[in-house]
């Protein structure tokens, strides 16, 4: 599978772009464990143009995480084009356009999945961004606004005609948000369409590498993108994980904490990390983990959080 000149090999697994999750520390960890492609947190075109420091910091790329995409979102042609040109200077391997984010603060302003209610504008933005930059442009979107408007099969052809070089489809509508189950049927129909020649990347409810293999087998997608199942589980991508012990996995989580604290500062580094710790599946064997989880989410000091992790380590050894 290729995007532009980037060859990902057969059946690659991608890390989904997620706000407050896919910071550089987490991306590098996922890359270590086999993610073929990683993406930054999505960034607002308007904030890029205004040079908002917190936004520009999300666009910092380390060569060790390549190939990496920067994902942008916005609601008008001019700002998206200008933002794409600025983003290109950060040297991403791909610029991805977000037409899928369902959260109200984005969609209700007409950006993200809000664009699914204005297809002519969505297509115009895509065409103009493709023309404005030399780096490959891709799109991530959903099946449609709601179940009465499942437009992805037609939209996929239209987006391809705009010049994008890959399409990621999340198997839900905007109305579903993150509820219910992802429906991969239409993703498979897009992939089987003889007119579609760009790679089709499937996304939604992929829980582990076995689940990902099933999606490849059943729907024929070119790549599988994994999102929420990566929380606290960067080893989900499978590389070398057969050798990872429980101790090793806790070591990885502690390393993530240290990376983020050193990269930002103690308070914000902890904020970036503790959702991963609280969501990690490795702690499910701890009796009454609920109280431990609450303590993780309340921790404000690195040493406090490390002590909780060491307590978890000992409890798991005894369980």
């Amino acid at each position: 599978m290729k995007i532009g000149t980037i060859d990902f090999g057969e059946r690659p697994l991608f890390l989904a772009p997620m706000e407050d999750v896919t910071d550089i520390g987490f991306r590098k960890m996922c890359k270590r464990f086999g993610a073929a492609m990683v993406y930054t947190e999505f960034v607002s075109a308007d904030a890029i143009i205004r040079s908002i420091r917190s936004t520009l910091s999300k666009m910092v790329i380390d060569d060790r995480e390549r190939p990496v995409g920067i994902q942008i979102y916005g609601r008008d042609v001019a700002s998206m084009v200008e933002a794409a040109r600025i983003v290109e200077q950060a040297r991403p391997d791909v610029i991805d356009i977000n037409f899928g984010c369902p959260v109200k603060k984005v969609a209700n302003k007409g950006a993200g999945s809000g664009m699914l209610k204005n297809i002519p504008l969505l297509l115009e933005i895509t065409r103009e961004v493709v023309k404005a930059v030399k780096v490959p442009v891709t799109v991530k979107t959903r099946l449609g606004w709601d179940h009465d408007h499942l437009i992805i099969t037609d939209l996929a052809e239209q987006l391809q005609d705009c010049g994008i070089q890959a399409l990621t489809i999340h198997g839900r509508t905007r109305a579903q948000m993150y509820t219910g189950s992802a429906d991969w049927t239409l993703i498979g129909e897009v992939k089987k369409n003889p007119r579609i020649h760009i790679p089709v990347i499937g996304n939604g409810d992929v829980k582990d590498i076995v689940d990902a293999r099933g999606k490849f087998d059943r729907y024929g997608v070119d790549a599988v993108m994994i999102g929420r199942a990566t929380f606290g589980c960067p080893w989900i991508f499978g590389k070398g994980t057969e050798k990872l012990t429980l101790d090793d996995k806790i070591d990885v989580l502690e390393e993530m904490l240290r990376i983020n604290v050193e990269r930002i500062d103690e308070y914000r580094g902890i904020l970036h990390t503790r959702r991963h710790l609280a969501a990690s599946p490795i702690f499910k064997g701890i009796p009454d983990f609920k109280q431990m989880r609450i303590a993780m989410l309340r921790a404000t000091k690195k040493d406090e959080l490390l002590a909780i992790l060491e307590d978890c380590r000992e409890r798991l050894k005894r369980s």
Side-chain angles (χ1 to χ4, degrees), residues 1-3 6 8 12-28 30-31 35-43 58-61 65-72 92-98 136-140 165-169 199-203 223-227 230 237:
M1 177 224 170
K2 287 186 176 182
I3 298 177
I6 309 166
F8 296 97
L13 301 178
F14 289 7
L15 171 67
M18 293 174 284
E19 187 176 17
D20 294 329
V21 175
T22 54
D23 56 65
I24 192 169
F26 186 60
R27 297 196 305 266
K28 287 164 70 175
C30 290
K31 178 67 70 171
M37 178 80 166
V38 297
Y39 295 81
T40 64
E41 304 169 65
F42 72 169
V43 285
K58 293 178 181 179
M59 293 163 45
V60 175
I61 291 171
E65 60 175 315
R66 293 187 184 279
V68 56
I70 295 179
Q71 189 185 66
I72 62 174
D93 298 285
V94 164
I95 294 176
D96 190 68
I97 304 176
N98 182 315
V137 174
T138 61
V139 162
K140 186 171 190 282
Q165 298 194 38
L167 174 63
T168 301
I169 306 169
V200 175
I201 304 156
N203 174 230
V224 168
M225 181 178 283
I226 309 177
T230 65
F237 297 96

Side-chain angles (χ1 to χ4, degrees), residues 201-245:
I201 304 156
N203 174 230
D205 291 352
V206 178
K207 298 175 179 63
D208 53 40
I209 196 166
V210 174
D211 196 14
R213 288 177 185 141
K215 297 292 192 285
F216 280 118
D217 290 340
R218 185 169 182 180
Y219 301 103
V221 291
D222 298 285
V224 168
M225 181 178 283
I226 309 177
R228 288 174 291 168
T230 65
F231 289 9
C233 197
W235 49 80
I236 196 172
F237 297 96
K239 182 180 177 182
T241 53
E242 68 280 353
K243 299 178 182 178
L244 283 185
T245 65

Side-chain angles (χ1 to χ4, degrees), residues 240-258:
T241 53
E242 68 280 353
K243 299 178 182 178
L244 283 185
T245 65
L246 188 62
D247 268 340
D248 292 332
K249 291 177 180 178
I250 294 176
D251 288 345
V252 167
L253 297 179
E254 290 183 350
E255 184 180 350
M256 282 173 53
L257 173 61
R258 293 189 181 96

Side-chain angles (χ1 to χ4, degrees), residues 99-244:
F99 292 138
C101 178
V103 299
K104 289 182 179 179
K105 68 177 182 179
V106 175
N108 285 0
K109 293 179 180 178
S113 61
M115 278 288 167
L116 292 169
K117 299 182 83 172
N118 191 344
I119 299 304
L121 179 56
L122 180 156
L123 296 174
E124 186 182 2
I125 286 173
T126 305
R127 274 192 300 269
E128 294 306 314
V129 169
V130 168
K131 287 193 292 187
V133 296
K134 294 180 181 177
V135 67
V137 174
T138 61
V139 162
K140 186 171 190 282
T141 190
R142 290 187 167 225
L143 303 179
W145 179 259
D146 57 31
H147 278 286
D148 293 326
H149 301 88
L150 298 174
I151 62 172
I152 191 60
T153 49
D154 290 334
L155 181 59
E157 291 191 23
Q158 293 171 305
L159 286 167
Q160 177 176 267
D161 291 343
C162 290
I164 67 169
Q165 298 194 38
L167 174 63
T168 301
I169 306 169
H170 181 99
R172 287 183 173 86
T173 64
R174 189 276 166 176
Q176 283 182 275
M177 301 290 286
Y178 296 104
T179 62
S181 299
D183 180 2
W184 281 64
T185 306
L186 289 177
I187 301 176
E189 285 189 23
V190 171
K191 178 56 192 173
K192 288 186 288 187
N193 182 347
R195 277 210 70 234
I196 296 293
H197 56 79
I198 59 173
V200 175
I201 304 156
N203 174 230
D205 291 352
V206 178
K207 298 175 179 63
D208 53 40
I209 196 166
V210 174
D211 196 14
R213 288 177 185 141
K215 297 292 192 285
F216 280 118
D217 290 340
R218 185 169 182 180
Y219 301 103
V221 291
D222 298 285
V224 168
M225 181 178 283
I226 309 177
R228 288 174 291 168
T230 65
F231 289 9
C233 197
W235 49 80
I236 196 172
F237 297 96
K239 182 180 177 182
T241 53
E242 68 280 353
K243 299 178 182 178
L244 283 185

